[in-house]
Amino acid sequence: MSQVFTTTRRVRFADCDAAGIVFFPRYFEMLNGVVEDWFAGPLEASFRELHVNREVSVPTAAVEARFIAPSRLEDDLTFSLTVTKLGGASCGLRHVIECDGQRRFEATQTIVYVGRSLKPEPWPETLRTRIQPFLETQP
């Protein structure tokens, strides 16, 4: 069974629009924060380590989202991340956001390991090894 990276975050005032619900672009900022926490946590490679020290990055190449139900100020959101595919330089992610068991948002995202040349490069073996446990298993 694959591992799931899970974290929580409270909806802040700055996340909301005039209607009092999460303004849709904020979800993408939240997803980036989840990816950043995943790298800093179980992958043991913080964005500072990657971007500043190693001069590499993991930009988003594609994202597809589905907005299911609104989230409001002070909702405590639970974010779940799994890996759908691990390619040579790419990595497919699945995000699910819930609040009290109700699904609010889901997305798929493709990130790419980009080297100093600003071109895709193969995942370093240490990162590949740490990503692999999050790869969804097929039933």
Side-chain angles (χ1 to χ4, degrees):
M1 184 162 178
S2 63
Q3 291 184 29
V4 178
F5 178 73
T6 305
T7 189
T8 59
R9 181 186 183 287
R10 180 163 280 188
V11 174
R12 296 181 176 97
F13 182 76
D15 298 324
C16 298
D17 61 17
I21 60 174
V22 172
F23 183 45
F24 76 93
R26 298 288 189 243
Y27 277 118
F28 297 106
E29 291 174 356
M30 291 178 200
L31 292 185
N32 192 69
V34 170
V35 172
E36 190 170 341
D37 290 348
W38 181 53
F39 269 84
L43 302 189
E44 299 178 32
S46 72
F47 273 23
R48 178 181 182 83
E49 172 63 26
L50 292 174
H51 292 84
V52 176
N53 298 349
R54 297 186 197 177
E55 297 178 3
V56 299
S57 60
V58 287
T60 296
V63 66
E64 185 174 324
R66 189 167 153 240
F67 302 88
I68 299 164
S71 295
R72 292 178 162 54
L73 183 62
E74 296 187 1
D75 279 353
D76 291 315
L77 303 178
T78 301
F79 297 79
S80 300
L81 176 150
T82 55
V83 174
T84 58
K85 180 182 176 192
L86 183 55
S90 65
C91 182
L93 304 176
R94 182 181 322 279
H95 297 272
V96 174
I97 301 175
E98 296 180 332
C99 182
D100 294 327
Q102 179 193 40
R103 191 163 290 195
R104 301 288 178 86
F105 176 90
E106 56 191 23
T108 56
Q109 176 183 15
T110 302
I111 59 174
V112 178
Y113 187 84
V114 173
R116 289 182 182 140
S117 67
L118 300 180
K119 294 187 173 149
E121 294 182 2
W123 288 100
E125 200 53 43
T126 54
L127 272 176
R128 177 176 290 285
T129 299
R130 292 177 183 147
I131 291 170
Q132 232 145 6
F134 295 89
L135 192 58
E136 294 177 353
T137 55
Q138 302 301 318

